[in-house]
Amino acid sequence: MDGVPQVPEVPRVPEQRRPDSATGSAALRFGVLGPVRAWRGEQPLTTGSPQQRALLAALLLREGRTATAAELIDALWGEEPPSQALAALRTYASRLRKVLDPGVLASESGGYAIRGLSDGALDLTVVQDLATEAEKAKNAGDLCHARDVLGRALALWDGEALAGVPGPYAEAQRVRLEEWRLQLLESRLDMDLEQGCHAEAVSELTALTAAHPLRERLRELLMLALYRSGRQAEALAVYADTRRLLADELGVDPRPGLKDLQQRILQADPDLVEPSAPKAEPAATAVRPAQLPATVPDFTGRASFVSELGEVLASAEGRVMAVSALAGIGGVGKTTLAVHVAHQARSAFPDGQLYVDLQGAGSRAAEPETVLGAFLRALGTADSAIPDSLEERAALYRSVLDGRRVLVLLDNARDAAQVRPLLPGTEGCAALVTSRVRMVDLAGAHLIDLDVMSPDEALSLFTKIVGEERVASEREAALDVVAACGFLPLAIRIAASRLAARRTWTVSVLAAKLADERRRLDELQAGDLAVKATFELGYGQLEPAQARAFRLLGLADGPDMSVAAAAAVLDLPVEDTEDVLESLVDTSLLESAAPGRYRYHDLVRLYARACAERDEQPPSEREAALSRLLDFYLATAAGVYATERPGDRLVDHLAGTEYPGLTFPDGRAARDWLYTEANCLLACARQSASGSGTLRRAIDLLWAALDISESGANSKEYEATAKALREAARQIGVPQVEARALMTLAHAHIDGGRFDQADQEAEQVIQLAHEADDLLPVCWARNARGVIALYQGRNADGEVHLTKAIEHFRTLGDRPGEASALCNLSRIHLATGRTQSAVSLAQQGMEIYDAMGNSMRGANGRYALGMALTQSGRLDAAAERLHEALEVFRDSRQRLWEGMTLFRLAEVDIAGQRYAKAAANAEMALTVLRGIGGEWRRGNVLTVLGRALTGVGQTGRAHVCWQEAVHIYEELGSPEAVTVRALLSPAQVA
């Protein structure tokens, strides 16, 4: 027996409830499960015109969340609002304010929200609560109570939901709420049969199957009810009618569950005669994240802060949210204190603890939407359920935390704006925030300014690390040490760790070393200089090889570094490099991010760079170190490219390198390296843009790593890097360099669906590359312009460009490039009705790829051939080619092409009238293409999804897809808007 369906919507956002007495009158109530109505107590209120009721409904269904004016205008009028839509919206809001209690309709950030309603004020939320109660009762085995509760829930519907309310938003919500009502009804009928009420259920099920003839679950329940009522022949007749109807209407067979029930009836299965004894289903185990870093075993002092923070966290149960923000200079121990307090409070937060380093002190602070994605996954949310925008992720995050007691530790925050979306916002949850800045603008936060340790605390920490025996005999010297460290915990820990690692040193030796650094100790009085002076102590104790590594490795911009990349920077064997890196980890000047990967704390990196500028001699060694790193990435990326694309001539036209790259045993290992190193590789390319001697190599590195863009995982970073390199190339004015930079940017814009920009850039590439006598960018640009022209419906232009691209590739002897242009030309022929030649061209391209062992680009050939075969009517062959391509794209982690292949398979399924399968493939395509490919491609997928949904009878949902596609095309100025508008009836689009 299935569970009780929950409302298929983003979970509601809890809000503070206002007691009825706040208004001095009876509480407001609202209804949306029928006509949109409002009452004060039992007194009906006037809700105004249909558009005014549409505004009220849109706000009620957001359940406390703010809707912008643009969203509300779209909800009320859709694609073609009246010219005075905003004024009309404000009029409706003003009229509603006069009817409702003061403060209920709130204006916020240019939008509106319904706030402060009492519990049970909206019939929809009452049904949600009843459905949850029924689910709990069912799981506990109490079907009688569950049936009763569902009956009460269903009784709250008063006809069609949102009856008489105009607008596309209301129409979509009507469809959603009706589907939910039917699911609840099916669940209640299922329980009726489990309780032996089969005879009573027959009439209701008969009426329901007549009203919803294609709903197989209702037919299944009717068959079971008839069979248990002794009406076996009728039960079998229901199956026959269902099979015939599905075949006539949809061209499909009944689902397996229905077929299985028919067979069991034919066999007089005794288990069908009586309902099975209801059993409580085990409740799903909630995911309880435990992400807190380990607390330090030698935590010292801070007793008053520990007590103060502990009291704030203990009060979380009775508050909307407990927030504590710790501020102080770097190295003062904010993270250590927060982690220690969080561990002590774990028992008060049984539903888990979340942790993130927001990297606020660095140049690239963590984006809140990225953090929210990680938090939602940690809380058990599937990737497919995580929305794209920051606002939607934040709303879902707060909803997931509703009713749970979770502690969130937000470490190293940049500012309050970065933190706000990450706060739980619900009773029982709490947040600890650490930052260098005092967050006076974080509303409701308990602020703590963390200062340096007291002398006693500092000495205690020093003693715990160094050892009681060594300190006891030199107490005065130890006091001198901690005083010289400015009582800064991080400085003390570094100094004490170095001393503990050198058993031959005495405390007096360390104190004497500090005494020699009075100039630097004076710098401890202000800002980051305090941290820098502390690091100076650790740096001064390094061996020469360690100090050189510390300085040079800090020059690279990447978030972390592999041993192999570090070996390139240091120009050392990998084994020696790993030894020196591990020795730096022991000094706490370097962190081990993961096996084989290392990173600096952001402040330590700044200090290391200062040391490099001051101490690295000759100064040219700094440039040489970064040049070796660039060589390493370029040589390795070129090797990955060659492994993935045998025979491709790009690698022969890249800038030469002096430092070698890695080699890989197979393509999978090569791809693993590329995607693991993507952020570091892109950071290296960006950093190299500032040097005239490195710019050409940086651009070629980006060109060789173009799979990073197509994968979707780092598309935005790739594009940002391409823009930076293009700007640098423009400033130096070397045609060859500028042409190649523009080519990488054009490639990124094509992947992102920004075709006009890409076409302009590719046109410039052709001109500049001709000036530089650099034919390869000309080939690529011609190929790109041909594809863009195809996408924009300029088929004659596209054919000219692609024909020239084929000629140029043949001149270079670049067979894979020729194959690419042939496959693209195939699509031009296809678009102009030359189907047979399109098949032939795609076949030629695929055969070239296969002959060269180029499996990944061979998948592109199969993609083009699959399209041509589809249009020629050879659907089985088309599906076979596309499935072959899909397997390669998935293995290669090419999300853009994976999504587009699923889209093409949906087209094949529609041509074969397999509409349900087409819808499934189109839905998967939308999921895979989320965040990549651009809006034009998304519009194409939505158009096909609408056709598939029409085929399975879901015309309402199909129209929603088409309306969204029309909006996309019109925004882009794409000619497809006309075609898709023709699919919509006049009722949907004027």
Side-chain angles (χ1 to χ4, degrees), residues 960-977:
V960 172
C961 293
W962 288 335
Q963 286 169 341
E964 187 173 354
V966 167
H967 176 73
I968 289 171
Y969 291 141
E970 289 178 343
E971 285 287 315
L972 298 174
S974 299
E976 290 89 344

Side-chain angles (χ1 to χ4, degrees), residues 375-621:
F375 277 0
L376 287 167
R377 282 187 283 272
L379 290 165
T381 306
D383 280 348
S384 59
I386 297 176
D388 288 332
S389 73
L390 172 61
E391 293 76 14
E392 289 176 314
R393 288 189 176 191
L396 179 58
Y397 168 68
R398 294 190 294 270
S399 301
V400 170
L401 289 178
D402 184 24
R404 302 168 81 168
R405 303 197 62 195
V406 173
L407 175 62
V408 183
L409 177 46
L410 304 173
D411 193 19
N412 195 11
R414 177 183 57 202
D415 51 31
Q418 185 189 28
V419 166
R420 288 190 191 100
L422 309 178
L423 297 178
T426 55
E427 181 177 339
C429 291
L432 276 173
V433 184
T434 72
S435 176
R436 291 191 196 178
V437 299
R438 195 166 188 265
M439 295 196 174
V440 293
D441 53 345
L442 192 60
H446 178 78
L447 302 179
I448 291 180
D449 291 326
L450 197 59
D451 202 350
V452 295
M453 285 181 153
S454 69
D456 288 343
E457 288 176 335
L459 183 60
S460 177
L461 174 60
F462 185 82
T463 302
K464 287 182 179 180
I465 298 172
V466 174
E468 179 70 32
E469 183 178 347
R470 294 177 74 182
V471 174
S473 61
E474 296 184 277
R475 180 178 173 82
E476 290 303 318
L479 286 172
D480 289 342
V481 169
V482 297
C485 290
F487 308 111
L488 201 67
L490 183 57
I492 296 166
R493 184 174 297 280
I494 292 173
S497 297
R498 298 303 300 165
L499 182 61
R502 286 164 170 74
R503 304 304 300 177
T504 59
W505 284 13
T506 64
V507 180
S508 297
V509 169
L510 178 60
K513 288 180 177 294
L514 289 172
D516 291 338
E517 303 294 338
R518 288 191 183 121
R519 185 182 61 81
R520 287 175 289 173
L521 291 176
D522 290 340
E523 295 174 350
L524 290 171
Q525 298 175 9
D528 286 345
L529 293 177
V531 178
K532 184 175 181 180
T534 304
F535 292 145
E536 190 72 44
L537 171 65
Y539 174 69
Q541 296 174 357
L542 295 177
E543 301 295 335
Q546 292 176 313
R548 175 178 178 268
F550 176 73
R551 293 191 300 269
L552 293 181
L553 294 174
L555 295 172
D557 275 350
D560 62 2
M561 186 175 289
S562 67
V563 175
V569 172
L570 302 177
D571 198 16
L572 290 174
V574 170
E575 295 78 7
D576 295 346
T577 300
E578 187 168 15
D579 288 343
V580 73
L581 291 173
E582 286 296 325
S583 71
L584 288 173
V585 170
D586 291 340
T587 69
S588 298
L589 290 174
L590 196 66
E591 299 176 12
S592 178
R597 301 196 72 84
Y598 300 86
R599 68 185 177 201
Y600 285 96
H601 182 280
D602 47 9
L603 297 177
V604 181
R605 183 198 297 272
L606 293 175
Y607 175 73
R609 289 181 174 181
C611 291
E613 292 176 4
R614 182 189 65 194
D615 300 339
E616 197 60 45
Q617 298 298 330
S620 59
E621 177 55 20

Side-chain angles (χ1 to χ4, degrees), residues 139-213:
N139 287 338
D142 190 354
L143 292 187
C144 290
H145 181 62
R147 288 173 60 209
D148 177 65
V149 171
L150 276 185
R152 285 156 48 200
L154 289 164
L156 289 175
W157 260 271
D158 186 13
E160 181 184 51
L162 307 177
V165 175
Y169 179 82
E171 179 59 34
Q173 294 300 310
R174 265 193 292 275
V175 173
R176 176 182 70 86
L177 293 171
E178 175 59 14
E179 172 62 23
W180 185 39
R181 185 187 73 84
L182 288 173
Q183 291 176 1
L184 291 173
L185 188 56
E186 288 170 347
S187 184
R188 198 220 71 208
L189 287 164
D190 195 12
M191 294 181 195
D192 288 348
L193 299 187
E194 287 292 316
Q195 291 287 290
C197 302
H198 33 266
E200 298 87 339
V202 168
S203 60
E204 185 176 4
L205 282 164
T206 299
L208 285 169
T209 52
H212 307 280

Side-chain angles (χ1 to χ4, degrees), residues 58 64 83 156 180 182 259 263 357 409 491 574 607 641 725 828 855 870 884 936 943 945 980:
S83 59
L156 289 175
W180 185 39
L182 288 173
K259 294 179 181 178
Q263 291 300 313
D357 178 4
L409 177 46
V574 170
Y607 175 73
Y641 188 95
L725 294 178
I828 293 284
S855 62
T870 301
E884 290 169 355
W936 180 78
T943 303
L945 177 58
V980 181

Side-chain angles (χ1 to χ4, degrees), residues 72-373:
L72 292 170
I73 289 171
D74 186 63
L76 269 62
W77 291 287
E79 298 291 335
E80 296 186 357
S83 59
Q84 300 298 316
L86 183 58
L89 181 70
R90 290 170 176 165
T91 300
Y92 299 150
S94 176
R95 291 172 181 171
L96 284 174
R97 268 202 196 93
K98 295 176 182 178
V99 175
L100 305 178
D101 292 341
V104 170
L105 180 54
S107 298
E108 185 176 278
S109 302
Y112 299 98
I114 296 288
R115 296 280 169 80
L117 299 183
S118 59
D119 290 327
L122 180 64
D123 55 1
L124 175 61
T125 62
V126 175
V127 174
Q128 289 174 316
D129 293 338
L130 289 172
T132 300
E133 182 182 347
E135 175 71 13
K136 291 178 180 177
K138 183 187 74 66
N139 287 338
D142 190 354
L143 292 187
C144 290
H145 181 62
R147 288 173 60 209
D148 177 65
V149 171
L150 276 185
R152 285 156 48 200
L154 289 164
L156 289 175
W157 260 271
D158 186 13
E160 181 184 51
L162 307 177
V165 175
Y169 179 82
E171 179 59 34
Q173 294 300 310
R174 265 193 292 275
V175 173
R176 176 182 70 86
L177 293 171
E178 175 59 14
E179 172 62 23
W180 185 39
R181 185 187 73 84
L182 288 173
Q183 291 176 1
L184 291 173
L185 188 56
E186 288 170 347
S187 184
R188 198 220 71 208
L189 287 164
D190 195 12
M191 294 181 195
D192 288 348
L193 299 187
E194 287 292 316
Q195 291 287 290
C197 302
H198 33 266
E200 298 87 339
V202 168
S203 60
E204 185 176 4
L205 282 164
T206 299
L208 285 169
T209 52
H212 307 280
L214 297 177
R215 203 169 182 92
E216 293 182 67
R217 179 58 179 156
L218 289 175
R219 299 225 171 206
E220 185 178 347
L221 291 170
L222 177 58
M223 289 173 62
L224 187 58
L226 287 168
Y227 181 72
R228 288 181 178 171
S229 300
R231 300 156 69 177
Q232 178 180 359
E234 289 183 61
L236 293 172
V238 169
Y239 177 81
D241 289 342
T242 304
R243 184 176 61 181
R244 183 170 56 254
L245 179 66
L246 292 173
D248 292 343
E249 296 290 332
L250 306 179
V252 298
D253 292 329
R255 62 189 179 93
L258 208 58
K259 294 179 181 178
D260 180 63
L261 179 59
Q262 181 222 20
Q263 291 300 313
R264 294 178 68 188
I265 291 173
L266 287 171
Q267 297 164 8
D269 186 342
D271 292 337
L272 286 180
V273 176
E274 293 296 335
S276 58
K279 297 179 181 178
E281 296 181 8
T285 302
V287 177
R288 292 180 173 84
Q291 297 184 341
L292 294 177
T295 187
V296 293
D298 50 23
F299 182 85
T300 303
R302 309 294 201 188
S304 62
F305 290 123
V306 171
S307 175
E308 182 180 351
L309 288 168
E311 289 176 5
V312 174
L313 295 180
S315 70
E317 185 171 5
R319 300 170 59 183
V320 172
M321 176 179 55
V323 181
S324 295
L326 287 72
I329 62 172
V332 79
K334 302 181 295 293
T335 299
T336 301
L337 174 59
V339 170
H340 180 77
V341 170
H343 274 283
Q344 287 196 335
R346 284 186 64 181
S347 61
F349 300 93
D351 295 315
Q353 306 85 40
L354 296 168
Y355 171 85
V356 65
D357 178 4
L358 293 173
Q359 303 176 31
S363 59
R364 292 182 174 273
E367 295 294 337
E369 53 262 46
T370 302
V371 176
L372 286 170

